[in-house]
């Protein structure tokens, strides 16, 4: 059976091959609704399948978006990747995902691989973009959107959450319960000081404590972002005399690890220890007790990142502030903080 071509579709639809191309690629020129329906009907009747490889060679672009994230095993990044994939699908694109495991060399590997595949754009969740990765991006003159983090090494458009303000919301809320102070589970020694969400969470904690006239010295504990290592840190901290009355954790994964440690040590939460996290991953509502946390609209952020990376006008002149799209944070109140009501949502104050 002869292969169905674009000429065959155009002949059956009574139009030109160019119009068939506009329908298949959703542009670059508009097609009248009635004509579009004829073309789609012809495609269905003939069973036409576009040759994506040939299209990519002709346009030097594919229908692919590259997404580079630290670790899809962590629920936050898994949920973010899913949101990006959904948003890309709405634009007729597919997503290639690469996990860096927080290793700079692996990030450079995926940058080279994806850009070499002529992806339509690249969405980058970078823990700490190094100079080699930044040079790779510049060499390809790629369309890049930073998501969730905004490393200083490059000045591309970024889509982020109000991490600092969200952390302040959570810490203020804990202090309003009357706790003497709030301790913080931050990042590790290699957490970037600038442009990293966890650094902003720690800074938000410091500001909220300062507003209340409370010192922070000796009340910040280093911990990896995942629940397993955070659990081990929490076991040590909570076993010491004079444990903190309340904890703000920079990630929900850390908070879930801390809750597990408290349960093993028979520390009642929130009766003896109040806990709040950041990210509002789906598991936060099912934690024991349900976790008070800070949320942002990940779906809207993912959609914004996809729209920006596919926009021909992405690389426009402008200040860093103009190239930063910040989504508001909101406090989701459950019971781990000491509140009785669950699911209350509070916006920025």
């Amino acid at each position: 059976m002869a292969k169905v071509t674009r000429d065959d579709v155009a002949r059956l639809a009574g139009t030109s091959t160019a119009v068939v191309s506009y329908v298949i690629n959703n542009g670059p020129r508009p097609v009248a609704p009635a004509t579009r329906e004829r073309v789609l009907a012809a495609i269905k009747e003939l069973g036409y399948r576009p040759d994506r490889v040939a299209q990519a060679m002709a346009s030097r672009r594919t229908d692919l978006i590259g997404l580079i994230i630290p670790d899809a095993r962590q629920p936050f990044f898994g949920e973010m990747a899913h949101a990006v994939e959904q948003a890309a699908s709405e634009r007729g694109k597919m997503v290639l995902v690469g996990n860096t495991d927080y290793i700079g060399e692996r990030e450079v590997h995926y940058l080279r691989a994806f850009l070499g595949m002529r992806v339509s754009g690249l969405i980058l969740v970078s823990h700490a973009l190094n100079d080699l990765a930044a040079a790779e991006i510049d060499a390809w003159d790629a369309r890049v959107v930073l998501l969730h983090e905004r490393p200083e090494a490059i000045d591309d458009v970024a889509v982020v959450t109000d991490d600092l303000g969200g952390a302040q919301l959570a810490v203020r809320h804990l202090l309003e319960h009357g706790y003497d102070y709030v301790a913080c589970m931050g990042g590790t020694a290699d957490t970037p000081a600038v442009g990293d969400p966890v650094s902003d969470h720690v800074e938000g904690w410091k500001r909220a404590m300062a507003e209340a006239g409370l010192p922070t010295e000796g009340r910040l504990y280093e911990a990896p972002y995942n629940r397993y290592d955070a659990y081990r840190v929490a076991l040590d901290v909570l076993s010491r005399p004079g444990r903190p009355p309340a904890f703000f954790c920079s990630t929900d994964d850390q908070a879930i690890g801390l809750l597990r440690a408290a349960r093993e040590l028979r520390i009642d939460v929130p009766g003896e220890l109040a806990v709040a996290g950041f990210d509002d991953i789906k598991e936060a509502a099912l934690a024991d007790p349900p976790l008070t946390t800070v949320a942002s609209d990940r779906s809207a952020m993912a959609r914004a990142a996809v729209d920006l990376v596919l926009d021909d006008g992405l690389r426009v002149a402008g200040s860093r502030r103009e190239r930063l799209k910040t989504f508001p944070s909101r406090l989701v109140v459950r019971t781990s903080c000491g509140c009785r009501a669950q699911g209350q949502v509070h916006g920025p104050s």
Side-chain angles (χ1 to χ4, degrees):
M1 184 176 179
K3 181 180 178 181
V4 178
T5 67
R6 194 167 299 189
D7 288 336
D8 296 326
V9 174
R11 191 176 304 109
L12 181 60
T15 186
S16 68
T17 55
V19 170
V20 174
S21 178
Y22 299 154
V23 172
I24 293 171
N25 297 311
N26 200 28
R29 294 185 179 181
V31 177
T35 304
R36 175 180 292 275
E37 289 303 318
R38 290 204 314 274
V39 171
L40 292 175
I43 289 173
K44 183 177 181 180
E45 180 178 338
L46 295 172
Y48 173 68
R49 296 291 180 269
D51 187 337
R52 297 299 185 187
V53 175
Q55 289 177 333
M57 291 178 64
S59 65
R60 297 181 66 81
R61 292 287 179 192
T62 64
D63 284 335
L64 302 172
I65 292 175
L67 172 64
I68 300 176
I69 57 178
D71 188 353
R73 294 171 299 180
Q74 291 181 236
F76 175 83
F77 293 119
E79 291 179 19
M80 181 65 81
H82 185 264
V84 168
E85 186 177 16
Q86 284 189 314
S89 179
E90 293 171 3
R91 295 289 302 270
K93 304 293 182 179
M94 293 183 292
V95 178
L96 295 173
V97 180
N99 288 268
T100 67
D101 291 327
Y102 299 98
I103 298 172
E105 291 81 3
R106 202 164 289 173
E107 186 169 79
V108 173
H109 163 75
Y110 281 116
L111 279 169
R112 288 174 174 165
F114 289 171
L115 294 174
M117 292 177 186
R118 297 290 181 179
V119 294
S120 295
L122 192 66
I123 297 175
L124 178 60
V125 183
S126 178
H127 175 59
L129 192 77
N130 59 39
D131 292 337
L132 184 57
E136 197 70 31
I137 291 172
D138 287 338
W140 285 92
D141 191 30
R143 298 179 184 178
V144 176
V145 169
L146 304 172
L147 180 59
H148 179 57
E149 308 198 25
R150 51 188 191 287
E152 291 290 287
I154 59 174
D155 191 32
D156 287 86
V157 173
V159 178
V160 299
T161 301
D162 180 10
D163 291 291
L164 194 151
Q168 287 178 283
L169 278 175
V171 177
R172 287 171 186 159
H173 181 77
L174 287 171
L175 290 171
E176 286 169 0
H177 280 273
Y179 302 115
D180 293 336
Y181 69 93
V182 177
C184 178
M185 187 173 283
T188 58
D190 63 349
T191 298
V194 179
D196 184 86
V198 169
S199 297
D200 284 349
H201 298 169
V202 173
E203 179 61 27
W205 165 72
K206 289 179 178 178
R207 292 189 186 186
M209 290 281 282
E211 290 172 359
L214 297 171
T216 57
E217 290 78 13
R219 294 172 175 175
L220 174 62
Y221 299 88
E222 290 187 355
Y225 307 139
N226 69 80
R227 69 189 65 182
Y228 310 103
D229 292 323
Y231 154 76
R232 296 185 180 93
V233 172
L235 273 179
D236 175 56
V237 173
L238 297 180
S239 298
R240 302 175 193 171
R243 65 171 178 264
F247 250 106
F248 166 64
C249 298
S250 293
T251 73
D252 282 353
D253 248 21
Q254 289 177 331
I256 290 171
L258 188 148
L259 290 175
R260 172 61 184 267
R263 189 160 56 250
E264 286 192 13
L265 295 171
R266 299 182 183 277
I267 299 171
D268 178 63
V269 178
E272 300 173 83
L273 175 68
V275 181
F278 202 114
D279 289 332
D280 195 30
I281 61 176
K282 292 185 182 299
E283 291 172 83
L286 298 178
D288 184 18
L291 182 64
T292 291
T293 184
V294 179
S296 62
D297 193 340
R298 276 193 287 280
S299 294
M301 290 175 64
R303 190 170 292 107
V306 169
D307 288 345
L308 284 166
V309 85
L310 296 178
D311 180 7
D312 288 335
L314 178 63
R315 287 182 169 270
V316 296
S319 68
R320 185 173 180 83
R321 182 178 299 275
E322 292 170 341
R323 296 161 68 82
L324 185 67
K325 186 173 181 61
T326 303
F327 282 75
S329 295
R330 62 190 186 278
L331 183 66
V332 180
V333 178
R334 298 189 178 101
T335 56
S336 67
C337 61
C339 287
R340 292 184 179 180
Q342 297 185 34
Q344 299 178 41
V345 178
H346 301 265
S349 60

